Amino acid sequence: MAGSELTNVRSPRVKAARRLTKRAFREQDRRFLAEGPQAVREALKLDGVTLELFSTAEAELRHPELITEATLKGVPVHRASGEVMSELSQTVTPQGLLAVCRLLHVPLEEGLKGKPRLVAMLAHVRDPGNAGTVLRAADAAGADTVVFTDASVDPYNGKCVRASAGSLFHLPVVIGAPVGVAVRQLRERGLRVLAADGAGKHTLDDVDLSGPTAWIFGNEAWGLPEEILAEADDVVRVPIYGQAESLNLATAAAVCLYSSARAQRVP
Amino acid sequence: MAGSELTNVRSPRVKAARRLTKRAFREQDRRFLAEGPQAVREALKLDGVTLELFSTAEAELRHPELITEATLKGVPVHRASGEVMSELSQTVTPQGLLAVCRLLHVPLEEGLKGKPRLVAMLAHVRDPGNAGTVLRAADAAGADTVVFTDASVDPYNGKCVRASAGSLFHLPVVIGAPVGVAVRQLRERGLRVLAADGAGKHTLDDVDLSGPTAWIFGNEAWGLPEEILAEADDVVRVPIYGQAESLNLATAAAVCLYSSARAQRVP
C-alpha cells in the first residue's frame, strides 16, 4: 500500500484519475479507467498495462489476491476512501476497485497481421454498452480483432469497458480506422467483408461463412449508411422468423459472429 | 381527444396510470404501461388491449397515425402536458406517448397449446432489460411462446416492455409458472428441454436441435441452480472460442434460439 488512505477528492492523484472519465483527457494522457474486480483481474494479466490501482479497504478484504498480484507486479496500490471511490467511479454502486491503465489499441496493420479469420468491425455504433457487449461476443466467438471505425464510440468509455466484461484486454482492438481503408485492408488479406443489415438481400442461412470473414455492424437505430453497404462484398441480414422488426445490435452481432465461428469449425 | 390537456400530475387519471409503475398495482389493476411509439403501435394492433392513450401535443404532431388509429378503435386519447408525461414516464427522455394496456399473459396450458416447436423459458432472470431483450430475440427467432417462471422479473416492468421493442405484444407470454411444472408440461408435449449454462457438458455445436426444443435461460450472474439443471434433458453451453469467461444472458439466449431456429429450418 503506497502511503495512507486517500480521502481528499481534490488531491492531485484523484483529480488525475478523475479526468480520465472524459475522452479528450484519455487521449491526451494515453490512459483509461478499468473498474471492478473482473476488469482489474484481466488488466493485471497483461504486463505493463496497469499503471495504478485504487482500492477501498472493503475491496482489499474481498479481493486480496488482486492486491497481492498488483503489488508483486510493482503496480502502485492506493487505498481510497468510499468518497474518493465514488468520485472516480462511473457506476451507481462502485465495486471499490479501479485501475488506471495505459491505452491498449493497436494500428490497423498490426491488428490485421497474421492470418485473421474472423474480424468484427463497429461502424457508427454510438452506445458504449452495446459496443462493449459486441466486443465481449466477438471475444467469445473467437474473433481475431475488433475494429472501431472513426465514427464509433470510444472503447475506453467506462460503460464500454464494463460491458466488455474483460474482453477489451483479450484481443487486439483497432480505433479510428476509416471504414473504406479498413475494408480495403481486410479484403487484401483475403477476408470477405459482410455488412450486417436488416436490408440485406441474403440471410445468414444462405451465405457460406466457412472462409475468413469480417463483419461490419452499424448503428443501433438506423443500421449502416449506403456508402458502407456499398463497400461490403455482401449485405447479410439475420432472418426474422417471428414478428419482431429487428434484433438489437449486440444480439444480432452475436448471432452473426457465432454463425461464422460455427461455419469455420463444424464441417 | 377526450377533454382538455391534462396538466395536473395529481389528477385521478394521472395517479391511476402512475401507480402502474409498481408491480403490485399492475397485478391488482390488471393493467400495465407501454411507452413510446413502437410499443403503442404494436399495442394498437391487438384488439381490446389498449385501454387509454396519453399523448403530448408534440407527439400527436409526430405520430398522427397512432392518434387516428386509437380514435378509430375507440381508445380514449388524453392530451397530456410535458410535466404529466414526465410523471408517467419511466425513461429519462419521455417520447410523449404512453398506453395503458390490459395484461396480456396467458395460462401455461394455453401458452403451450397447438404444437410448439420453440419455447424460451426465463428462470431467475432478474434484470428487466435483459428479460426484454431475450423476449425480442425469442420473437425474432420465431419462438412460439416465452415462459417467465415464478422467480423471474415481471415482463410488464417498464424496462422490460421497452427492451422487448414490441415483442411483448407479438407472442404468447406465460408468467409465474413453477419451473418443475413447466418442464413437465413441455416434455409431455414432446419438447426436449435444454438448460443453457456455461457448465454444460455439451456445446451448441454437438447437440441435434432439429426437433421441438424448449430452452431454459437463467440468472445473469450465477446461471441456473442445480435443481433446474437436474430437471432439464440436457445442459448445453455456448462454446467459448476466445478468452471471454462467458456471454451475457441476452446474447447467449439469442445464439441458442437462432441455432434452434436454423436447425429446425435448414436441412
Side-chain angles (χ1 to χ4, degrees):
Chain A
M1 203 61 42
S4 56
E5 182 171 276
L6 288 166
T7 55
N8 182 357
V9 297
R10 293 182 184 188
S11 75
R13 179 159 281 152
V14 175
K15 282 169 82 176
R18 171 73 194 164
R19 70 187 228 138
L20 300 176
T21 55
K22 296 221 161 63
R23 181 173 194 163
F25 291 122
R26 289 194 291 270
E27 285 172 2
Q28 194 175 320
D29 301 349
R30 315 285 304 151
R31 298 171 167 212
F32 74 104
L33 301 175
E35 199 178 337
Q38 187 180 36
V40 168
R41 187 173 300 117
E42 300 308 302
L44 285 171
K45 283 184 189 160
L46 302 178
D47 284 334
V49 162
T50 312
L51 306 173
E52 288 181 288
L53 184 63
F54 291 86
S55 171
T56 59
E58 204 193 341
E60 272 170 40
L61 290 173
R62 215 173 322 140
H63 306 284
E65 77 291 356
L66 296 177
I67 306 299
T68 306
E69 174 84 3
T71 309
L72 284 174
K73 292 212 160 187
V75 174
V77 180
H78 311 301
R79 164 83 66 84
S81 68
E83 197 191 351
V84 163
M85 193 53 81
S86 295
E87 179 73 11
L88 295 177
S89 170
Q90 293 171 80
T91 55
V92 182
T93 330
Q95 294 178 281
L97 274 174
L98 184 135
V100 175
C101 300
R102 69 163 176 78
L103 301 191
L104 299 161
H105 61 280
V106 297
L108 183 61
E109 290 69 23
E110 192 184 327
L112 301 184
K113 75 179 180 205
K115 289 205 172 296
R117 292 184 50 80
L118 185 57
V119 172
M121 193 152 120
L122 283 75
H124 300 276
V125 172
R126 296 290 161 84
D127 180 83
N130 277 341
T133 307
V134 174
L135 186 48
R136 181 177 176 184
D139 178 15
D144 299 290
T145 301
V146 175
V147 179
F148 284 70
T149 68
D150 50 1
S152 265
V153 72
D154 179 13
Y156 301 117
N157 174 300
K159 279 188 191 161
C160 180
V161 176
R162 213 155 47 247
S164 89
S167 291
L168 178 60
F169 299 97
H170 292 161
L171 74 176
V173 170
V174 175
I175 298 185
V179 176
V181 173
V183 166
R184 267 192 303 285
Q185 295 223 13
L186 287 160
R187 209 176 273 139
E188 278 169 21
R189 281 164 177 78
L191 287 98
R192 186 164 163 220
V193 179
L194 301 179
D197 192 280
K201 215 171 39 179
H202 305 285
T203 81
L204 262 189
D205 295 345
D206 46 49
V207 286
D208 176 10
L209 296 173
S210 59
T213 302
W215 282 100
I216 314 181
F217 304 111
N219 184 271
E220 296 78 358
W222 41 263
L224 286 164
E226 273 306 324
E227 66 270 24
I228 294 184
L229 296 178
E231 297 257 18
D233 293 316
D234 260 313
V235 183
V236 178
R237 65 189 150 84
V238 177
I240 302 288
Y241 298 117
Q243 295 178 63
E245 241 175 68
S246 64
L247 283 167
N248 90 352
L249 173 69
T251 51
V255 170
C256 292
L257 291 165
Y258 264 93
S259 294
S260 282
R262 185 190 168 98
Q264 291 184 358
R265 282 171 181 84
V266 181
Chain B
M1 202 62 40
S4 55
E5 181 172 275
L6 287 166
T7 56
N8 183 356
V9 297
R10 294 179 184 193
S11 76
R13 179 160 282 153
V14 177
K15 283 169 82 176
R18 171 72 194 165
R19 70 186 227 138
L20 300 177
T21 55
K22 296 220 161 65
R23 182 173 194 163
F25 290 123
R26 290 195 290 270
E27 285 172 0
Q28 194 176 318
D29 300 350
R30 316 284 307 151
R31 298 170 168 215
F32 73 104
L33 301 175
E35 199 179 335
Q38 186 179 35
V40 167
R41 186 174 301 118
E42 300 308 301
L44 285 170
K45 283 184 190 162
L46 302 178
D47 283 334
V49 161
T50 312
L51 306 172
E52 288 181 287
L53 185 62
F54 292 86
S55 172
T56 59
E58 204 193 340
E60 271 169 41
L61 290 174
R62 214 172 323 138
H63 306 284
E65 78 291 357
L66 296 178
I67 306 298
T68 307
E69 174 83 5
T71 309
L72 284 174
K73 291 212 160 186
V75 174
V77 180
H78 311 301
R79 163 84 64 87
S81 68
E83 197 191 352
V84 162
M85 193 52 81
S86 295
E87 178 73 9
L88 295 178
S89 170
Q90 292 170 82
T91 56
V92 182
T93 330
Q95 293 178 281
L97 274 174
L98 183 134
V100 174
C101 301
R102 69 161 177 77
L103 300 190
L104 299 160
H105 61 281
V106 296
L108 183 61
E109 291 68 25
E110 193 183 327
L112 302 184
K113 74 178 181 205
K115 288 203 173 297
R117 291 184 50 80
L118 185 57
V119 172
M121 193 151 119
L122 283 76
H124 300 277
V125 173
R126 296 290 161 82
D127 180 82
N130 276 342
T133 307
V134 174
L135 187 49
R136 180 176 176 187
D139 178 15
D144 299 290
T145 301
V146 175
V147 179
F148 284 70
T149 67
D150 49 2
S152 266
V153 71
D154 180 14
Y156 300 118
N157 174 301
K159 279 188 190 161
C160 181
V161 176
R162 212 153 51 246
S164 90
S167 291
L168 178 62
F169 298 98
H170 292 161
L171 73 176
V173 169
V174 174
I175 298 185
V179 177
V181 173
V183 167
R184 267 192 302 283
Q185 295 223 12
L186 287 160
R187 210 175 273 139
E188 279 169 21
R189 281 164 178 78
L191 288 98
R192 188 166 163 217
V193 179
L194 301 179
D197 192 280
K201 217 169 37 177
H202 305 286
T203 81
L204 260 189
D205 294 345
D206 45 49
V207 286
D208 176 9
L209 295 172
S210 59
T213 302
W215 281 100
I216 314 181
F217 303 111
N219 183 272
E220 296 78 0
W222 40 264
L224 286 163
E226 273 307 322
E227 66 269 23
I228 293 183
L229 297 179
E231 298 257 18
D233 293 316
D234 261 313
V235 182
V236 177
R237 64 190 152 85
V238 177
I240 302 289
Y241 298 116
Q243 294 179 64
E245 242 175 69
S246 64
L247 284 166
N248 91 353
L249 173 69
T251 52
V255 171
C256 292
L257 291 165
Y258 264 94
S259 293
S260 282
R262 185 189 168 98
Q264 291 183 359
R265 284 172 180 84
V266 180

